[in-house]
């Protein structure tokens, strides 16, 4: 049987930075931890770590991320963004843009981005982004998890099955993991170059096009206070703008808000 690494390497990647070095691992606790190990070892920016399976995959807000063997793409990328200020939200968005665009290009599915890091198809989650920074280190680790392979015949945890799906079942046809992974890294390489150029307008424009949050009614929490309203703008540097019930407009910084409900 051909391995994922052989299938991935069957065609040239042709990226500038993302994927210059790639580690194909089998079972790891989390590819984000494996990428931090590569950072400590002094690996180059753009180093990618793929794993077939994660035993302690993590999501945002301390959640666990179900990462069954050979089904999804579990990967992390080592990056050194130009601007440290706001780098975590910006890197989250470029990861989400690359994932949503790759899904649209490789399947007919209309992937959208739900603030700040969920990749949706038909309102079900097909992937997520987890960017991590560590005190005293200049790098960021961009973790991407995409459910690619069919779950038919798999034991899917109940809490996952009610909110999520995978590309193959959603598209009703098998989606090739290796081809999808190449498409994802190519797009990420392009968005990373846009981020390095500080071209935030291009990022905002594409994000608005692919946002599942813009125009929607949401409930969010900021510093212990809850707000309800309609999202009227998303901006990689300035966060989210919301129209409150009495008509006032309020801006929320990405780092300080948590969405509680998204209609
Ligand atoms: C989320 O939606 O909460 C983010 C999920 C991120 C999952 C990916 S899988 C690869 C990388 N390694 C991890 O432990 N998490 C990320």
């Amino acid at each position: 049987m051909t391995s994922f690494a052989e299938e991935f390497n069957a065609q040239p990647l042709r990226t500038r930075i993302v994927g210059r070095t790639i580690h194909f691992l089998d079972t790891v606790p989390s590819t984000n931890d494996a990428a931090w190990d590569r950072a400590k070892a002094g690996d180059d920016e753009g180093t990618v770590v793929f794993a077939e399976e994660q035993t302690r995959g993590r999501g945002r807000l301390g959640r666990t991320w179900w990462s069954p063997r050979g089904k999804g793409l579990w990967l992390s990328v080592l990056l050194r963004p130009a601007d440290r200020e706001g780098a975590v939200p910006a890197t989250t968005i470029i990861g989400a843009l690359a994932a949503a665009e790759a899904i649209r290009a490789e399947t007919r599915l209309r992937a959208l981005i739900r603030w700040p890091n969920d990749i949706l198809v038909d309102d079900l989650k097909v992937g997520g982004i987890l960017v991590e920074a560590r005190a005293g280190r200049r790098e960021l680790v961009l973790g991407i998890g995409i459910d690619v392979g069919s779950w038919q015949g798999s034991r899917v945890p109940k809490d996952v099955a009610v909110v999520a799906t995978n590309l193959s079942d959603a598209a009703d046809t098998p989606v090739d993991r290796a081809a999808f992974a190449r498409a994802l890294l190519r797009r990420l390489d392009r968005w990373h170059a846009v981020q390095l150029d500080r071209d935030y307008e291009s990022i905002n424009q594409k994000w608005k096009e692919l946002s599942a949050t813009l125009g929607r009614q949401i409930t969010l929490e900021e510093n212990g206070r809850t707000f309800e309203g309609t999202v009227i703008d998303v901006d990689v540097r300035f966060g989210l703008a919301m129209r409150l019930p009495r008509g006032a407009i309020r801006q929320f910084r990405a780092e300080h808000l948590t969405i509680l409900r998204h209609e």
Side-chain angles (χ1 to χ4, degrees), residues 99-154:
E101 282 190 336
I103 293 170
R104 285 172 173 242
E106 296 298 303
T107 71
R108 295 244 170 92
L109 301 170
R110 286 178 35 81
L112 292 173
I113 301 165
R114 181 172 59 197
W115 175 291
N117 70 323
D118 293 340
I119 313 300
L120 304 183
V121 165
D122 294 334
D123 270 344
L124 289 172
K125 187 156 166 166
V126 292
I129 312 292
L130 178 67
V131 176
E132 293 177 336
R134 284 195 179 169
R137 293 217 70 95
R138 211 171 82 71
E139 304 88 351
L140 289 183
V141 166
L142 162 61
I144 306 180
I146 309 284
D147 290 300
V148 181
S150 171
W151 290 345
Q152 281 166 36
S154 307

Side-chain angles (χ1 to χ4, degrees), residues 29-32 54 56-60 63 65 67 73-76 117-118 125 127-130 143-145:
S30 157
T31 56
N32 272 25
Q54 298 184 116
R56 301 184 65 176
R58 51 182 183 263
R60 275 184 82 241
R63 297 184 184 125
W65 181 260
S67 318
L73 275 184
W74 325 126
L75 69 135
S76 299
N117 70 323
D118 293 340
K125 187 156 166 166
I129 312 292
L130 178 67
I144 306 180

Side-chain angles (χ1 to χ4, degrees), residues 13-237:
L13 186 58
R14 294 201 189 91
T15 51
R16 285 195 318 171
I17 293 179
V18 173
R20 285 191 288 197
T21 305
I22 303 187
H23 300 276
F24 295 94
L25 306 180
D26 189 58
T27 304
V28 294
S30 157
T31 56
N32 272 25
D33 290 338
W36 281 116
D37 290 343
R38 300 319 317 162
K40 281 184 220 146
D43 272 27
D44 285 340
E45 175 168 52
T47 295
V48 172
V49 179
F50 283 109
E52 283 299 292
E53 173 184 39
Q54 298 184 116
T55 52
R56 301 184 65 176
R58 51 182 183 263
R60 275 184 82 241
L61 311 172
R63 297 184 184 125
T64 49
W65 181 260
W66 182 58
S67 318
R69 164 169 293 275
K71 290 277 178 205
L73 275 184
W74 325 126
L75 69 135
S76 299
V77 188
L78 189 60
L79 294 172
R80 293 193 179 86
D83 287 332
R84 270 194 77 74
E85 168 92 18
V88 170
T91 305
T92 304
I93 299 311
I94 64 154
L97 291 179
E101 282 190 336
I103 293 170
R104 285 172 173 242
E106 296 298 303
T107 71
R108 295 244 170 92
L109 301 170
R110 286 178 35 81
L112 292 173
I113 301 165
R114 181 172 59 197
W115 175 291
N117 70 323
D118 293 340
I119 313 300
L120 304 183
V121 165
D122 294 334
D123 270 344
L124 289 172
K125 187 156 166 166
V126 292
I129 312 292
L130 178 67
V131 176
E132 293 177 336
R134 284 195 179 169
R137 293 217 70 95
R138 211 171 82 71
E139 304 88 351
L140 289 183
V141 166
L142 162 61
I144 306 180
I146 309 284
D147 290 300
V148 181
S150 171
W151 290 345
Q152 281 166 36
S154 307
R155 254 212 238 144
V156 183
K158 254 198 206 132
D159 58 326
V160 174
V162 290
V163 294
T165 187
N166 59 77
L167 300 182
S168 299
D169 290 339
D172 208 15
T173 184
V175 174
D176 186 282
R177 258 190 335 143
F180 180 77
R182 286 191 299 265
L184 175 64
L185 294 191
R186 286 182 191 131
R187 282 185 158 75
L188 185 60
D189 192 56
R190 277 187 237 143
W191 283 113
H192 174 253
V194 173
Q195 186 185 10
L196 277 187
D197 282 349
R198 300 182 170 91
D199 179 3
Y200 298 114
E201 271 328 296
S202 297
I203 297 176
N204 283 337
Q205 200 182 331
K206 185 49 86 177
W207 187 15
K208 284 175 200 179
E209 237 177 75
L210 299 180
S211 175
T213 303
L214 200 55
R216 300 281 280 262
Q217 183 82 14
I218 63 164
T219 306
L220 63 79
E221 187 194 283
E222 185 190 54
N223 302 327
R225 284 180 70 193
T226 303
F227 297 86
E228 233 182 274
T230 308
V231 179
I232 57 166
D233 195 24
V234 288
D235 186 293
V236 71
R237 276 166 307 164

